């Protein structure tokens, strides 16, 4: 079983995140997608075995994760 990762950037906002997840379906979807992509990216970048994915694919995942992170920042009222 995988240990859940904490998303340190958003740790101070856990209460607001829980409220948004409860009341805003779009936020919940965006945050869940961000967590999934972050986990996938972490696994690919830190795995013990050489990655079978291209650098372009990793870059695309990084860009998508960054885009979602910025959207979450907007929901939380954070300035980038």
């Amino acid at each position: 079983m995988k240990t859940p990762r904490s998303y340190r950037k958003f740790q101070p906002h856990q209460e607001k995140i829980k409220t948004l997840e409860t009341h805003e379906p779009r936020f919940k979807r965006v945050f869940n997608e961000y967590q999934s992509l972050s986990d996938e990216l972490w696994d690919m970048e830190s795995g013990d075995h050489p990655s079978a994915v291209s650098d372009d694919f990793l870059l695309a995942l990084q860009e998508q994760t960054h885009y979602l992170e910025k959207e979450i920042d907007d929901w939380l009222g954070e300035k980038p």
Side-chain angles (χ1 to χ4, degrees), residues 44-56:
M44 287 180 192
E45 291 179 331
S46 65
D48 293 334
H49 305 290
S51 181
V53 298
S54 70
D55 289 341
D56 289 338

Side-chain angles (χ1 to χ4, degrees), residues 2 5 35-45 57-58 61:
K2 243 184 189 179
R5 291 190 177 89
Q35 290 176 313
S36 294
L37 284 177
S38 293
D39 284 344
E40 188 174 344
L41 193 56
W42 173 263
D43 290 342
M44 287 180 192
E45 291 179 331
F57 183 75
L58 284 176
L61 278 181

Side-chain angles (χ1 to χ4, degrees), residues 63-74:
E63 287 179 23
Q64 180 66 20
T65 303
H66 181 70
Y67 173 81
L68 293 169
E69 188 175 293
K70 285 173 53 177
E71 188 170 346
I72 293 166
D73 282 339
D74 288 345

Side-chain angles (χ1 to χ4, degrees), residues 8-35:
R8 293 179 198 177
K9 175 177 177 148
F10 300 117
Q11 280 301 106
H13 306 285
Q14 289 304 302
E15 294 218 11
K16 189 169 186 178
I17 288 169
K18 287 186 187 305
T19 300
L20 286 167
E21 284 182 320
T22 302
H23 295 73
E24 300 289 344
R26 177 166 170 74
F27 176 84
K28 184 176 182 175
R29 186 186 62 76
V30 167
F31 194 72
N32 286 339
E33 185 175 348
Y34 169 76
Q35 290 176 313

